[in-house]
């Protein structure tokens, strides 16, 4: 501790991390994260479409699995 101020004379690693923190939505290594307005909600139809698409893809891929019955 330094003198009478009661604060440490050097910043620790945790202080440096907090001081240099960036908004995670703006990090260049995050590909699909998008900052949206407060209260914005994704349409439920996107989730329905994704479910149907994945289901159809799984069924299509299962057609390539041999069943052994003939």
């Amino acid at each position: 501790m330094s003198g009478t101020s009661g604060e440490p004379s050097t910043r620790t690693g945790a202080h440096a991390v907090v001081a240099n923190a960036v908004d995670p939505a703006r990090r260049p290594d995050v590909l699909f994260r998008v900052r949206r307005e407060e209260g914005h909600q994704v349409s439920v139809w996107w989730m329905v479409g994704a479910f149907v698409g994945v289901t159809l893809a799984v069924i299509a891929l299962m057609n390539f699995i041999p069943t052994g019955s003939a």
Side-chain angles (χ1 to χ4, degrees):
M1 298 231 175
S2 65
T4 58
S5 66
E7 293 187 19
S9 59
T10 59
R11 296 174 72 150
T12 63
H15 287 120
V17 168
V18 171
N20 297 328
V22 295
D23 183 5
R26 307 229 184 263
R27 284 182 17 203
D29 59 334
V30 178
L31 296 178
F32 298 114
R33 193 176 301 168
V34 178
R35 188 170 192 69
R36 306 220 186 269
E37 305 87 35
E38 187 70 29
H40 179 269
Q41 293 183 351
V42 176
S43 172
V44 69
W45 291 109
W46 283 107
M47 299 299 117
V48 171
F51 175 78
V52 170
V54 169
T55 302
L56 291 175
V58 168
I59 292 171
L61 290 172
M62 288 176 68
N63 286 325
F64 293 109
I65 299 174
T67 60
S69 63

